[in-house]
Amino acid sequence: MADVLVVAEEALVSIGIKMILETMGGFTVVAADRDSALAAAGEHRPAVVLLDAHATLPETVPLLTRLRDLESGAALVVLATLAAPSTVLESLRGGACGFLLRDSQPEQLVAAVRALASGVTVLAPEASSIMLGAACRGTPAADSAVDEIKQLSDREQAIVGLVGQGLTNAEIARRLFVSDSTVKEYVSVILRKLGVANRVQAAVLAYAAGLTTDDLD
């Protein structure tokens, strides 16, 4: 069993990331290329899968989806050269719960992997939720997102809007004067109705639809 699986086509990338995470973070790290990624994930059951998307995003998104469908519980994170809006959105909608840049400092990479392993979503500043919202609005994807969001009740739309702002269940509960467990139940229902795997994907849809905590026009 490994802590981290690094998926990359370039040996130098795999070796470099493995060295950083093992020496600075104390993680157990294994590496694989794209062809062997699914088998490696099944064999090693890592807490975090880090996919290098350098110039290969069209191949990365389908792989993200297949890894997500394994339902292993691994946190999927994409490592990219640039945080282009399309790259970030496609990665998150494909199943990633983290998005990091290749020029991240070693200590930032270690901290991000540690956070991801504990269940926290990690986005590079350039891939913040504000940018996601701005990138989606006014595009064909926004129309689709509005249709999906409108499946939700008024209360569910309010909650997914707060999720889109990055609030935790506890923060949402305080805002709406309900219990944490009630919010958790709502979030589970929201994810199921929207057909998404995690809060990040729900947040992407909320921003794409222009959803606010007040209403959905």
Side-chain angles (χ1 to χ4, degrees):
M1 186 171 182
D3 298 317
V4 183
L5 169 63
V6 177
V7 180
E9 295 302 299
E10 300 175 25
L12 287 177
V13 173
S14 296
I15 293 170
I17 294 174
K18 188 173 187 292
M19 184 180 299
I20 290 170
L21 295 178
E22 289 183 338
T23 58
M24 295 182 64
F27 297 106
T28 301
V29 183
V30 294
D33 60 18
R34 293 177 186 278
D35 292 337
S36 59
L38 291 173
E43 177 184 354
H44 298 286
R45 310 296 290 183
V48 177
V49 178
L50 195 159
L51 292 92
D52 179 43
H54 179 57
T56 55
L57 182 66
E59 299 174 16
T60 299
V61 174
L63 179 55
L64 275 170
T65 302
R66 291 195 295 272
L67 286 166
R68 180 195 66 198
D69 291 345
L70 289 177
E71 297 184 351
S72 65
L76 307 178
V77 55
V78 169
L79 184 68
T81 303
L82 296 172
S86 60
T87 302
V88 176
L89 288 166
E90 289 181 43
S91 297
L92 297 180
R93 298 193 76 166
C97 56
F99 190 95
L100 305 173
L101 295 181
R102 271 186 159 208
D103 63 359
S104 299
Q105 294 299 310
E107 58 272 18
Q108 293 175 322
L109 179 61
V110 170
V113 169
R114 185 165 286 119
L116 286 158
S118 67
V120 176
T121 297
V122 178
L123 299 178
E126 295 85 350
S128 66
S129 58
I130 294 175
M131 185 192 73
L132 297 183
C136 287
R137 294 188 181 110
T139 68
D143 295 334
S144 175
V146 168
D147 290 339
E148 294 186 62
I149 290 293
K150 284 185 174 177
Q151 301 176 61
L152 307 179
S153 68
D154 290 345
R155 188 63 153 180
E156 289 163 353
Q157 289 183 23
I159 289 174
V160 78
L162 294 171
V163 169
Q165 292 182 16
L167 274 65
T168 65
N169 285 353
E171 291 169 335
I172 294 172
R174 288 194 294 271
R175 180 79 65 89
L176 299 180
F177 303 103
V178 297
S179 68
D180 290 9
S181 60
T182 296
V183 175
K184 184 177 180 180
E185 290 174 7
Y186 268 113
V187 171
S188 295
V189 171
I190 289 166
L191 297 184
R192 185 174 67 252
K193 284 187 175 182
L194 295 179
V196 296
N198 54 51
R199 297 168 70 96
V200 176
Q201 291 176 288
V204 170
L205 284 176
Y207 274 107
L211 186 65
T212 71
T213 55
D214 300 314
D215 56 53
L216 182 67
D217 294 326

